[in-house]
Amino acid sequence: MSGGFNTGRFRSAERRHQRPTIPRNEAEVIDQIGVLLAKWGVTSKTETHALFEGRLKEVAANCFNATIVRNWKPFDITVALPVDTIDSLKILLDHNLRQVTKGGIEYTKLETKDMIKDKYDAFLPFPPFNFVRGGNLVLSRPYKELRLSDEELDPLLRFTYTERSVKEYMLDQFNQVPNEEYPSHLVRALALHEAVNGSHPCLSCGKVGCLRWNSALRSDFCNIICVDCNSVYSLCCIAGSEKVRKVFKNKSHFRGSYAHFQQLRSLMDETNHRDSKMFLLFATRSPAYQRGNKLPVYAAQIMGAQPNLNSDSFSPDRIRIKSNVVFKPMLDEVAWFSVDVPNDLDVVGISMEVFHAYFDANEDKPTVEPRSESKESHCARRSEQQIVSLTKVLAQIQSIKGKQERGIRLQEWELDLLGRETKVVKKLEQLEGGNE
């Protein structure tokens, strides 16, 4: 995998993907997923890669068609936050914990482990391969310098997923001491408070006093809602104004779930939301130069989103497709408003007060402590993951057969997956026999 190999069929698709092009149909989404997979080194040259590619493309199609997220009503829970900053912060920080634990249902989360980071102490969150002129894929310099093996480059082997206690994970976040930057959980809460209570006009309809906080547990891409025109605002944290300028130059930004984005788009296409707009707010963690404790918040209008893959996308149990949000900077790239951080605010104190209040009230909930794993246990878990993955592939093949029987024209990847049914069944039988 360390050398270049010709992928001329991806050439036009890669050019479209390098430009922040919003897919218009299912075929274009599948096309973009093919480019992303190639850059991560998944090329259908092996059985495992081919099966994963088939599953991923089906998930991508379902994301685009908004058929994954159901019973989601993001517009139904809008709240006017307290005017008092501290009271508002406590509500928002508590809600942050409720979101992570899914309302107190899940007290563990999957944590991604990167073989390259653990072994070489190298943080490489981007794909190993890049397209060059002529449509070839070549290994990028940071990866090449490490002289990595094929196994270390293979994302299906490189990334592993283990359970971690949510309480432990959030403790790391809430216990951060401000240094040159304020912690994201606090900046997010302060920015939401200011947007709702600061008498700022809606960026779409221009009316004042109509912005509300969306307190739904699932509020991806709609943290704030205008109750007058139903426009929505997604808020993210970013290092500082210099980083905002770089992001504005690219006119795209990596964000949350692609399924949630497409679901929200689908809901907004309904009659009462047809003229609504989507906005992306960038709340900075670093105070503006020579402006005291003021944190600028910038705005952009979301035009659409591309699918994106990262280290969380290669789990055999749950494929996650992220979003690359395409936007247009607003207000001549000047901050929409600034957040005043109270000089006497005890950042760690208020964070830990909310943290302990939430988890102490739910201390009877089970948590999972990280544990060491033997080589034998790791192999057994990998085998179990493969069985789960192959079982899902078989279900996918049956679904494709159903489409074929109904006379629906199948795409190339679906036909390819049908042709692999015998091998999938044989492999599954081998794995299940070995676990008996």
Side-chain angles (χ1 to χ4, degrees), residues 130-411:
N130 287 319
F131 281 89
V132 296
R133 185 172 296 179
N136 288 335
L137 276 172
V138 297
L139 194 62
S140 63
R141 180 176 295 177
Y143 282 93
K144 188 179 294 184
E145 289 175 348
L146 294 177
R147 299 181 180 275
L148 301 166
S149 67
D150 287 354
E151 179 177 318
E152 291 169 328
L153 286 170
D154 186 341
L156 301 183
L157 300 174
R158 170 184 171 183
F159 301 114
T160 55
Y161 307 88
T162 57
E163 283 189 328
R164 184 184 181 188
S165 162
V166 169
K167 183 176 182 179
E168 181 186 85
Y169 172 78
M170 293 307 295
L171 179 61
D172 290 344
Q173 313 299 315
F174 274 50
N175 205 28
Q176 288 184 60
V177 178
N179 194 358
E180 294 181 357
E181 295 182 356
Y182 286 97
S184 292
H185 71 275
L186 182 89
V187 173
R188 178 184 176 84
L190 285 168
L192 286 170
H193 170 75
E194 175 63 27
V196 171
N197 289 323
S199 299
H200 303 291
C202 172
L203 294 172
S204 180
C205 66
K207 294 186 178 180
V208 176
C210 57
L211 298 181
R212 298 288 185 273
W213 169 53
N214 177 16
S215 63
L217 288 178
R218 284 182 179 174
S219 57
D220 299 42
F221 300 104
C222 55
N223 306 121
I224 300 168
I225 300 174
C226 174
V227 295
D228 187 80
C229 70
N230 291 316
S231 290
V232 299
Y233 298 73
S234 176
L235 191 146
C236 66
C237 293
I238 197 165
S241 298
E242 184 61 34
K243 180 65 174 178
V244 172
R245 281 189 280 273
K246 291 180 180 178
V247 171
F248 275 7
K249 184 177 180 181
N250 292 332
K251 294 183 172 59
S252 66
H253 187 58
F254 299 129
R255 286 291 291 146
S257 164
Y258 186 58
H260 282 171
F261 180 88
Q262 289 300 115
Q263 181 77 2
L264 183 59
R265 268 292 194 196
S266 177
L267 291 171
M268 292 180 69
D269 284 341
E270 297 176 1
T271 303
N272 58 332
H273 297 281
R274 191 163 293 164
D275 297 325
S276 306
K277 295 178 181 178
M278 299 178 71
F279 300 100
L280 182 57
L281 304 182
F282 296 91
T284 56
R285 296 188 296 265
S286 300
Y289 182 63
Q290 292 183 339
R291 291 186 63 188
N293 271 359
K294 291 185 179 291
L295 306 175
V297 178
Y298 297 82
Q301 182 179 347
I302 296 175
M303 312 309 293
Q306 296 175 304
N308 182 57
L309 303 180
N310 65 9
S311 60
D312 295 335
S313 302
F314 300 95
S315 168
D317 299 322
R318 182 184 175 189
I319 293 176
R320 297 177 179 180
I321 299 178
K322 300 295 185 177
S323 300
N324 184 25
V325 175
V326 181
F327 62 78
K328 179 174 64 177
M330 298 182 66
L331 308 174
D332 295 324
E333 302 187 13
V334 175
W336 183 27
F337 60 83
S338 290
V339 174
D340 285 308
V341 183
N343 291 325
D344 59 348
L345 179 63
D346 182 356
V347 174
V348 176
I350 190 172
S351 299
M352 293 309 298
E353 178 186 342
V354 174
F355 178 89
H356 287 303
Y358 180 79
F359 282 104
D360 288 350
N362 299 275
E363 60 185 0
D364 58 320
K365 301 291 184 180
T367 58
V368 173
E369 299 298 330
R371 58 183 184 273
S372 59
E373 186 175 42
S374 66
K375 183 176 181 180
E376 292 77 11
S377 298
H378 176 77
C379 292
R381 182 168 57 82
R382 173 72 70 178
S383 179
E384 290 172 0
Q385 290 174 343
Q386 287 180 314
I387 290 173
V388 171
S389 177
L390 290 172
T391 301
K392 290 181 179 179
V393 171
L394 275 181
Q396 182 181 0
I397 289 173
Q398 294 305 315
S399 175
I400 294 172
K401 284 183 174 180
K403 291 172 64 174
Q404 192 176 46
E405 291 171 357
R406 294 193 300 273
I408 300 175
R409 184 178 178 181
L410 301 181
Q411 297 188 32

Side-chain angles (χ1 to χ4, degrees), residues 411-424:
Q411 297 188 32
E412 183 179 344
W413 68 269
E414 292 176 313
L415 292 170
D416 182 62
L417 196 58
L418 282 181
R420 297 175 182 271
E421 181 180 11
T422 302
K423 292 183 178 180
V424 172

